[in-house]
Amino acid sequence: TGAGKSHVIAEIARQIHAMTGKRVLCLAPSAELVTQNRAKFIATGNPASMFSASAGAKELRHPVVFGSPLTVKNRISRFQQPGDKGYALVIVDEAHGLTPTLKDIIAEMKEGNPNLRVCGLTATPYRMGTGWIFAEHPNGKMNGEDAAREPYFAKCVDRIGARELIDMGYLTKPVIGQINASGYETAGMALNSRGQFDASDVDRAYHGHGRKTAAIVGDVVAQSSARQGVMFFAATVQHARE
């Protein structure tokens, strides 16, 4: 988180195209991310195409293409060129959300190019219920509770943590404040069989406590009068609105 995945995607795409002369397809789950990732690539001084109906463009003039999965899937024949004009690499942003559509795209592209490489980027490589999305950690094979169940990716080739980014000066050091107002009563909340809190428990703990919420917000506002902005984390959308 905070490592600048859009910039990393841009540099990987630039280098792979420069090394191979082949095309690179960069996929992201939303029009906003497709547009953002393409903008970061263009900032390197190179042109890039966009193939995303929701983002308002479907063209393949340039060797590096930023697209959304459904639009690419619906025109998959245009991404199956063999030989030197084909694709060397598919980059998947938010790779923890590897959907059947994404898997189908990659499988169909590999039919014409068995050597197609796939690179995924994510800030959350661990998924509840299925484990890690890769089979091998940079430090070696994972066993026991750390082992992935049916991982799509073969290996985590690189990673960087928030602590390293803070120490290197790329992220602001967090300062943990003290809330002076009394908080919510959460002692009665318990995880259910799915490892989540029941909605009824969340409702009882967080919703409808107008005075507590107002006191907490008021205290934060008073403490942050010299700051430019504050981000609040809430239990639910309803709680956030309150």
Side-chain angles (χ1 to χ4, degrees):
T1 301
K5 288 187 292 298
S6 296
H7 293 286
V8 176
I9 289 169
E11 184 60 9
I12 291 173
R14 188 193 68 78
Q15 286 200 26
I16 293 298
H17 172 63
M19 288 165 55
T20 66
K22 294 187 178 183
R23 299 170 74 89
V24 177
L25 174 62
C26 308
L27 295 170
S30 68
E32 291 80 10
L33 278 175
V34 171
T35 303
Q36 173 184 304
N37 290 348
R38 178 174 175 264
K40 297 299 191 298
F41 184 84
I42 290 173
T44 68
N46 297 284
S49 293
M50 185 155 63
F51 204 83
S52 171
S54 54
K58 288 191 286 185
E59 54 92 11
L60 299 172
R61 283 180 296 169
H62 304 294
V64 175
V65 180
F66 291 82
S68 52
L70 195 56
T71 308
V72 171
K73 171 67 175 172
N74 289 339
R75 298 288 188 275
I76 190 62
S77 61
R78 301 182 67 179
F79 296 85
Q80 294 175 304
Q81 301 101 315
D84 292 339
K85 294 182 180 179
Y87 287 81
L89 173 71
V90 174
I91 300 176
V92 181
D93 194 9
E94 304 294 343
H96 58 276
L98 204 73
T99 64
T101 298
L102 282 166
K103 292 180 180 179
D104 287 346
I105 289 170
I106 294 164
E108 292 186 53
M109 290 177 69
K110 278 189 173 182
E111 288 179 6
N113 177 17
N115 292 322
L116 181 77
R117 294 293 183 260
V118 183
C119 173
L121 292 92
T122 177
T124 52
Y126 188 89
R127 303 184 71 184
M128 296 296 290
T130 59
W132 298 97
I133 63 173
F134 49 80
E136 188 176 340
H137 192 273
N139 297 331
K141 293 283 187 180
M142 298 181 296
N143 301 307
E145 292 183 1
D146 289 332
R149 289 178 285 285
E150 299 182 4
Y152 185 82
F153 294 96
K155 183 177 182 179
C156 171
V157 296
D158 198 18
R159 66 174 300 280
I160 191 164
R163 172 54 59 191
E164 295 165 273
L165 290 164
I166 291 167
D167 290 343
M168 294 165 69
Y170 288 108
L171 295 181
T172 302
K173 185 176 180 180
V175 177
I176 309 301
Q178 178 66 46
I179 301 300
N180 300 315
S182 61
Y184 301 99
E185 294 297 330
T186 58
M189 297 176 67
L191 294 173
N192 57 28
S193 58
R194 301 187 307 279
Q196 300 171 335
F197 291 111
D198 287 324
S200 58
D201 280 355
V202 175
D203 279 335
R204 278 194 298 272
Y206 291 99
H207 300 158
H209 303 291
R211 289 186 177 181
K212 285 186 177 180
T213 301
I216 291 170
V217 172
D219 184 42
V220 172
V221 170
Q223 291 191 52
S224 58
S225 60
R227 295 185 175 270
Q228 293 180 320
V230 174
M231 180 180 287
F232 281 92
F233 289 88
T236 65
V237 173
Q238 182 182 339
H239 185 221
R241 286 177 177 149
E242 185 178 282

